[in-house]
Amino acid sequence: MIIGPKEVEYVGKLAQLAITEDEKQLFIGQLNSILEFVEQLNRLDTSNVEPTAHVVLAADQSAALRPDEPIMTFTQEQSLANGPETGAGHFKVPKVISDR
Amino acid sequence: MRYEAVIGLEVHAQLLTKTKIFCTCSTAFGAPPNTNTCPVCLGFPGALPVLNREAAIMASKAALALGCKLNPVSIFARKNYFYPDLPKGYQISQFDRPLAEHGSITIGSNGSSKQVRIKRVHMEEDAGKSIHDGFADSSRYSYIDLNRSGTPLIEIVSEPDLHSPDETHDYLTRMKVILEYLEVCDGNMEEGSLRCDANVSVRLAGESKLGIKTELKNLNSFRFLKNALEYEISRQIQVLEEGGAVVQETRLWNTAEHRTVSMRSKEEAHDYRYFPEPDLPPLVIDNAWESEIRASMPELPDAKRARFISQYGLPEYDASVLTTSRALADFFEETVSLCQSAKAASNWIMGDLLRDLKEFNRTIGESPVRPRAIADLIRLIESGEISGKMGKDVFEAMFRERKSPQEVIAERGLKQITDLGTLERIIREIVAANAKTYEQYKSGKKAALGFFVGQVMKATQGQANPQLVNELLRKILDA
């Protein structure tokens, strides 16, 4: 797969990034070199290998699971402390939808 | 019918765990905004999720009850999209190896039942809540409450096996009842603990290829689901009839305008870029754990309905109504155990009790009349102490005044008149006072009997034993 300007624009849009023309050229080069590097892995024959979702397949599930016991962590103030804008106990973000 | 509708449902059910799916925050409803939060569900960098064991158990129970096979290993995946109520920028869900697959729900009744296949059941986390109205600056801001962020959900995806709004309603009702029986979801569509999206297309009858579908959202009650499907099916048929083509899109049900409306497609640049969640190991459910989960499951609605028919000899209709909730089924069984009259118990519960509960908007758990009282009432009628008709009035008083049937009968001096001499005297008086009707009866108008029965019941304020009144009247009139 070769990355061109269209792909960079598309990914940029999904990631909500405004990308300049210069940056576009830079990213095309960088993304293609990453893909070429990863492409080397395709030379291996993996037809007999189970797909690996995770390197740790915990045999002991008790280590991977948590009991259903509530613990209170944050107060409302702590919860909102990193919010750029807050009000009435909520995070505030620029209006998401326009027609309501 | 020239066209056939094809419908598939995606149902999201909130699980009734005490804590969220990947962190220890409480899932309690109604807490002040942003108080049930922590670094995990606020999406702080570096915070690590750990799966709630109870969420895995509840999800597995639901999957097994829906006839699915559990995958011994299932994998969590990240579903990436941007929205302010999704703080991490991705939702942890399951993708190519879900918790369970290949189940079904049987809908319809014995005469015409059919299987609706369930493709998969997977686990995922809920997003937070965006509030777009109600604040002074709501024209410029959306408000975000992340208390719901990370609440455990299961998504239940059907195959496109449904062909009408009624079938879809039936399917969802049965699913809701199953989840309620298992006590894994409270099934409240209005409050959003059970949500559903529908994929809808139409095609010419007999055609095997699927038509182009639309996805309906905002179906947050059974009524809206039915209305939206009815509207959307006829809309698509009209588009095709006019020579047009259905556009694949997401449409919202607009309750006020009673129609589905296209969601503008600019928000639709969805490419979720799923990949395995590196922060969570696969969920492994071995045979031993699956057996343990199965053993902890209650009797399910279909099994209970079948047992009510075979064990108590109830008609299918009664068994269906009585098993619509576990609480109602338990209420019925307790009543029968106290009076040994299954059909009578069924009649009182399905008829008078459910009607009164509905009128006063109460659940079976809040019923002022308990199984003991209904059982006593049934025995008082069976022993002839009061008539069935008097029983109706006694029941009303029991319900409204929270009294036992014995108390109501004693207070009102209700006692069935079974004394033959007394009844005969009353009947002779009435016949004598209605000589004209008596003549009509004698000349062949047998319907006049009903008039006399009514007069006797009136004269005795409903306390005469109706069977005796009928017998005596015939004897006297035909003499």
Side-chain angles (χ1 to χ4, degrees):
Chain A
M1 186 171 61
I2 303 297
I3 300 278
K6 264 174 79 178
E7 284 74 24
V8 173
E9 282 163 22
Y10 178 63
V11 173
K13 193 179 164 211
L14 286 175
Q16 312 272 297
L17 295 174
I19 296 170
T20 66
E21 205 49 45
D22 288 350
E23 284 170 332
K24 205 184 288 176
Q25 292 312 315
L26 178 71
F27 294 150
I28 288 171
Q30 290 179 342
L31 290 168
N32 276 315
S33 72
I34 291 169
L35 287 182
E36 280 158 28
F37 175 71
V38 175
E39 194 61 29
Q40 294 176 35
L41 295 174
N42 278 341
R43 289 185 215 150
L44 292 170
D45 178 9
T46 57
S47 50
N48 290 319
V49 181
E50 266 281 293
T52 306
H54 205 284
V55 289
V56 189
L57 182 68
D60 177 12
Q61 279 287 296
S62 61
L65 298 168
R66 173 179 66 71
D68 188 27
E69 291 156 11
I71 300 170
M72 183 155 170
T73 306
F74 280 168
T75 62
Q76 192 180 68
E77 291 67 36
Q78 289 169 322
S79 184
L80 298 174
N82 291 320
E85 285 193 80
T86 60
H90 293 77
F91 294 98
K92 282 164 67 171
V93 297
K95 190 77 176 168
V96 184
I97 49 173
S98 52
D99 60 345
R100 281 174 63 166
Chain B
M1 188 74 173
R2 257 193 92 200
Y3 289 91
E4 176 190 54
V6 180
I7 303 161
L9 278 198
E10 289 172 16
V11 175
H12 287 90
Q14 272 182 3
L15 298 178
L16 288 170
T17 53
K18 295 191 203 72
T19 65
K20 295 185 179 180
I21 184 168
F22 299 123
C23 62
T24 59
C25 293
S26 167
T27 53
F29 192 75
N34 295 300
T35 51
N36 293 334
T37 54
C38 76
V40 174
C41 57
L42 290 179
F44 285 8
L48 291 173
V50 184
L51 180 61
N52 179 345
R53 187 167 195 270
E54 193 57 31
I57 292 171
M58 287 187 179
S60 301
K61 280 186 187 174
L64 291 170
L66 297 169
C68 293
K69 286 193 184 63
L70 292 184
N71 280 323
V73 176
S74 68
I75 293 164
F76 289 97
R78 291 188 181 180
K79 177 181 180 176
N80 298 278
Y81 66 92
F82 257 108
Y83 207 72
D85 58 24
L86 186 76
K88 295 192 299 299
Y90 57 86
Q91 176 193 30
I92 303 179
S93 180
Q94 295 190 301
F95 188 52
D96 53 7
R97 195 94 71 90
L99 176 75
E101 294 170 275
H102 311 305
S104 68
I105 289 180
T106 304
I107 63 167
S109 56
N110 266 357
S112 59
S113 64
K114 76 173 235 187
Q115 296 241 309
V116 178
R117 291 169 299 157
I118 289 169
K119 189 175 181 174
R120 57 187 275 148
V121 175
H122 72 245
M123 302 176 70
E124 61 185 29
E125 58 178 338
D126 208 345
K129 212 163 81 185
S130 304
I131 303 149
H132 304 291
D133 325 271
F135 293 98
D137 51 3
S138 280
S139 60
R140 290 182 295 125
Y141 289 102
S142 291
Y143 281 62
I144 312 291
D145 175 6
L146 295 174
N147 279 348
R148 200 179 66 182
S149 165
T151 297
L153 298 177
I154 47 172
E155 180 173 331
I156 303 160
V157 184
S158 84
E159 296 285 358
D161 288 349
L162 297 158
H163 296 294
S164 72
D166 283 334
E167 279 189 8
T168 310
H169 189 277
D170 191 358
Y171 167 82
L172 188 61
T173 305
R174 282 166 199 265
M175 181 187 296
K176 175 176 180 280
V177 172
I178 289 170
L179 297 175
E180 287 169 352
Y181 263 61
L182 295 168
E183 292 173 339
V184 301
C185 176
D186 67 21
N188 190 325
M189 288 189 84
E190 285 75 11
E191 281 175 15
S193 40
L194 189 70
R195 309 197 275 268
C196 110
D197 301 335
N199 289 309
V200 187
S201 63
V202 298
R203 62 183 173 194
L204 284 171
E207 174 71 62
S208 59
K209 213 170 130 251
L210 289 172
I212 295 164
K213 69 177 179 190
T214 58
E215 187 182 2
L216 300 186
K217 290 185 179 286
N218 203 26
L219 310 173
N220 49 12
S221 80
F222 278 90
R223 194 161 52 88
F224 294 166
L225 169 69
K226 229 172 137 173
N227 292 346
L229 287 173
E230 277 160 8
Y231 175 88
E232 182 60 16
I233 290 165
S234 58
R235 186 191 70 85
Q236 290 189 13
I237 290 173
Q238 197 185 339
V239 168
L240 297 179
E241 285 283 282
E242 288 166 358
V246 173
V247 179
Q248 178 156 0
E249 62 184 352
T250 300
R251 298 178 71 88
L252 290 182
W253 173 245
N254 186 314
T255 313
E257 294 173 26
H258 208 78
R259 63 195 188 99
T260 62
V261 188
S262 177
M263 258 172 80
R264 277 147 303 116
S265 53
K266 68 172 186 187
E267 303 163 25
E268 291 264 299
H270 275 162
D271 178 344
Y272 293 127
R273 292 159 290 147
Y274 280 101
F275 63 87
E277 166 58 85
D279 291 343
L280 285 164
L283 172 61
V284 180
I285 300 181
D286 59 17
N287 288 335
W289 195 14
E290 183 179 329
S291 305
E292 199 183 305
I293 293 169
R294 274 190 195 278
S296 70
M297 287 164 61
E299 183 180 34
L300 292 167
D302 283 353
K304 206 182 272 292
R305 190 180 316 119
R307 182 169 64 79
F308 276 20
I309 294 168
S310 63
Q311 181 179 341
Y312 299 116
L314 291 182
E316 190 191 345
Y317 176 76
D318 293 39
S320 297
V321 173
L322 293 171
T323 52
T324 48
S325 83
R326 236 171 110 179
L328 182 62
D330 290 347
F331 190 102
F332 166 76
E333 291 206 273
E334 196 182 332
T335 309
V336 177
S337 75
L338 294 168
C339 72
Q340 313 302 329
S341 301
K343 184 57 185 152
S346 167
N347 288 348
W348 281 105
I349 293 169
M350 287 197 335
D352 302 71
L353 180 63
L354 287 186
R355 184 199 60 224
D356 284 359
L357 288 174
K358 195 173 171 196
E359 188 187 332
F360 289 90
N361 201 15
R362 292 220 176 108
T363 65
I364 187 76
E366 299 161 345
S367 171
V369 177
R370 308 307 309 162
R372 160 65 65 191
I374 293 183
D376 286 350
L377 178 64
I378 290 169
R379 282 198 301 209
L380 288 165
I381 294 167
E382 283 177 350
S383 69
E385 198 153 324
I386 56 170
S387 68
K389 173 144 189 337
M390 287 155 78
K392 295 272 176 195
D393 299 332
V394 172
F395 182 90
E396 281 310 297
M398 286 161 60
F399 191 95
R400 279 157 216 270
E401 297 161 29
R402 292 179 174 269
K403 285 180 177 146
S404 73
Q406 292 88 341
E407 283 174 304
V408 175
I409 290 167
E411 274 177 19
R412 316 203 167 183
L414 296 173
K415 194 101 186 133
Q416 185 158 242
I417 304 171
T418 50
D419 178 63
L420 289 176
T422 312
L423 286 176
E424 195 172 329
R425 183 176 48 76
I426 295 168
I427 289 169
R428 289 198 185 280
E429 279 168 23
I430 286 169
V431 171
N434 295 280
K436 216 169 150 191
T437 316
Y438 175 69
E439 287 310 317
Q440 286 171 349
Y441 179 88
K442 292 307 269 184
S443 63
K445 198 177 162 221
K446 298 295 177 198
L449 180 71
F451 168 79
F452 284 114
V453 172
Q455 290 300 307
V456 175
M457 296 314 284
K458 197 174 157 195
T460 58
Q461 286 161 339
Q463 295 187 38
N465 179 314
Q467 211 184 327
L468 289 179
V469 170
N470 266 292
E471 281 170 21
L472 280 174
L473 258 173
R474 281 218 175 78
K475 213 174 85 189
I476 292 165
L477 292 172
D478 294 339

